[in-house]
Amino acid sequence: MSPTFQELFGHPPEVVAQAPGRVNLIGEHTDYNGGFVLPMAIPQQTHVELRRRGDRRVRAFSTNKSAAGEILEFELGQESTGKGWLDYVQGVTHVLQHAGFPLSGVELRITSEVPLGSGLSSSASLDVCLLRALREAFSLPLDDVQIALLGQRVEVDFVGAPVGVMDPMAASIAGLNVALFLDTHTMRFERVPLPPGVDPVIINSGVAHNHSAGDYRVRRAECERAAKQLGVAQLRDLTEADLPRAATLPEPLGRRVRHVVTENARVLATVEALRKGDLPGLGRLFYASHDSQRLDYEVSVPEIDLLVDLAREDADVYGARLTGGGFGGSVVMLARDGTGAAVAKRIAERYAARSGQRPTILLPQPSGA
């Protein structure tokens, strides 16, 4: 058992906050290109307990298995990277101070149900949760969209992960079984409920990824290079009519453009399919998105492809695709109403037998979870 806040710091917390992880239904690698995304919150959450201190010292404890099991500390204004999970805590205090918000030291106990490296936004969930706790503790005048934008700055400006705004927006304002249709260029958003007759399924492949690692950075740089060569500010500014011109770019830039442009179109089509309750149409869009990520954007891995192939073979699955940044992580599936738990169990078992990996079923949650 992990020690309680009282056991760690000698007194109870003043503030308790939480924020969910997210699954992206469709719209992958479009957010940092100014495009459309469609995430949804998941039941797994990050929790923060906090108490203010009278000095400038931050003392933080994480119950995550990868943490050292000890209280780590830093001084406000002296934040520096290279300290593992503590970088996210330091990033939050760093961006708040640079934005002009006054803070004192705090004591923190962090717990999370969102698995690391799963493609379900564990880091954004932590960023938003910490920002919510500090907003309450220090009465900071921040709305939920500002919280999300600050969360993105934590990742990009401090941690050094060149992520888009989708993940913190989902952690900050998305809901369960309600998709968040977000235009990342204008920041306009709309909540679109999932239709009846479908069970969302999420299976973590057991292959972890890291957004601050090289491949993710390479994809973003390729998109920026392609946009410059095509004379647009962002790939969002292109349409499918521009694809023949994009195809003349040096490899692999044309394929990167094709993924982003067609993925934006798939998000718009998915929103319409959700509104109409067109479940077979949703399935086709999911599979097309996965194929685009696998072939044009090249962010899938064999284990993820295996999970999607197993879903294609299952009569109760409408569609499946890689969700998250790629290079590992999770797959999201849409199953027939009432079959989600059984679908997840049999596909996870077949996947484990063929891959040697240990998958985790994150949705539907098991009874009693």
Side-chain angles (χ1 to χ4, degrees):
M1 289 289 292
S2 299
T4 65
F5 191 98
Q6 178 82 41
E7 291 167 340
L8 287 166
F9 301 113
H11 37 241
E14 295 175 324
V15 170
V16 176
Q18 51 273 325
R22 68 99 188 95
V23 61
N24 192 24
L25 295 178
I26 200 165
E28 227 64 76
H29 294 276
T30 51
D31 61 341
Y32 56 77
N33 286 297
F36 304 106
V37 293
L38 197 68
M40 179 182 78
I42 59 174
Q44 291 81 4
Q45 300 202 57
T46 299
H47 307 265
V48 167
E49 299 166 276
L50 178 150
R51 187 180 182 92
R52 292 169 295 173
R53 294 171 56 90
D55 56 15
R56 302 276 294 169
R57 200 76 181 154
V58 174
R59 306 183 71 219
F61 180 90
S62 171
T63 65
N64 191 284
K65 291 180 180 179
S66 66
E70 59 184 357
I71 297 172
L72 301 183
E73 304 185 11
F74 65 92
E75 199 83 12
L76 291 175
Q78 302 296 318
E79 293 90 350
S80 61
T81 57
K83 298 175 183 175
W85 65 267
L86 191 66
D87 283 0
Y88 294 95
V89 181
Q90 294 185 99
V92 166
T93 61
H94 174 80
V95 300
L96 282 174
Q97 291 169 102
H98 274 252
F101 294 105
L103 300 175
S104 71
V106 292
E107 293 163 342
L108 300 166
R109 181 179 182 271
I110 301 165
T111 62
S112 185
E113 302 145 3
V114 186
L116 300 178
S118 61
L120 302 173
S121 262
S122 58
S123 60
S125 176
L126 173 57
D127 297 336
V128 169
C129 190
L130 283 166
L131 285 161
R132 284 178 171 175
L134 291 165
R135 175 175 64 182
E136 182 176 347
F138 294 99
S139 301
L140 304 179
L142 293 168
D143 63 29
D144 290 340
V145 173
Q146 289 172 305
I147 288 279
L149 293 172
L150 286 168
Q152 184 190 19
R153 286 179 55 190
V154 171
E155 304 264 356
V156 175
D157 297 347
F158 190 84
V159 176
V163 299
V165 75
M166 173 183 66
D167 292 355
M169 279 291 285
S172 188
I173 61 178
L176 296 173
N177 294 314
V178 179
L180 181 71
F181 175 36
L182 172 65
D183 180 337
T184 65
H185 180 69
T186 65
M187 295 300 290
R188 292 177 181 170
F189 61 88
E190 176 188 352
R191 292 177 175 90
V192 183
L194 295 191
V198 65
D199 283 355
V201 172
I202 306 169
I203 301 176
N204 181 3
S205 68
V207 180
H209 71 184
N210 181 356
H211 272 176
S212 61
D215 288 328
Y216 189 94
R217 293 172 177 275
V218 168
R219 293 300 180 277
R220 181 159 187 165
E222 288 169 343
C223 289
E224 291 168 352
R225 198 157 71 246
K228 185 175 181 179
Q229 292 185 30
L230 292 170
V232 294
Q234 291 181 298
L235 296 185
R236 150 67 180 269
D237 300 326
L238 302 173
T239 70
E240 291 184 270
D242 295 299
L243 291 181
R245 185 162 61 100
T248 67
L249 295 175
E251 273 290 325
L253 300 187
R255 287 186 291 117
R256 305 299 189 247
V257 173
R258 184 167 59 196
H259 167 74
V260 173
V261 170
T262 58
E263 187 78 346
N264 275 324
R266 282 188 287 270
V267 175
L268 299 178
T270 298
V271 171
E272 288 306 306
L274 286 173
R275 289 172 175 153
K276 294 176 181 177
D278 179 6
L279 302 181
L282 286 171
R284 289 191 293 271
L285 289 163
F286 269 43
Y287 286 131
S289 174
H290 181 77
D291 290 342
S292 182
Q293 291 183 87
R294 180 174 62 89
L295 299 171
D296 283 345
Y297 220 69
E298 297 180 289
V299 292
S300 193
V301 295
E303 292 87 352
I304 292 290
D305 293 337
L306 174 58
L307 275 168
V308 173
D309 288 343
L310 291 169
R312 290 184 200 267
E313 297 168 3
D314 196 301
D316 286 326
V317 177
Y318 292 109
R321 58 180 292 279
L322 165 64
T323 186
F327 310 107
S330 300
V331 167
V332 59
M333 307 176 184
L334 298 178
R336 297 181 191 278
D337 187 30
T339 69
V343 163
K345 184 175 185 293
R346 63 176 173 257
I347 289 180
E349 287 175 350
R350 292 169 185 167
Y351 168 76
R354 289 177 57 177
S355 70
Q357 296 287 341
R358 292 185 175 183
T360 306
I361 298 169
L362 299 170
L363 198 70
Q365 289 189 288
S367 300

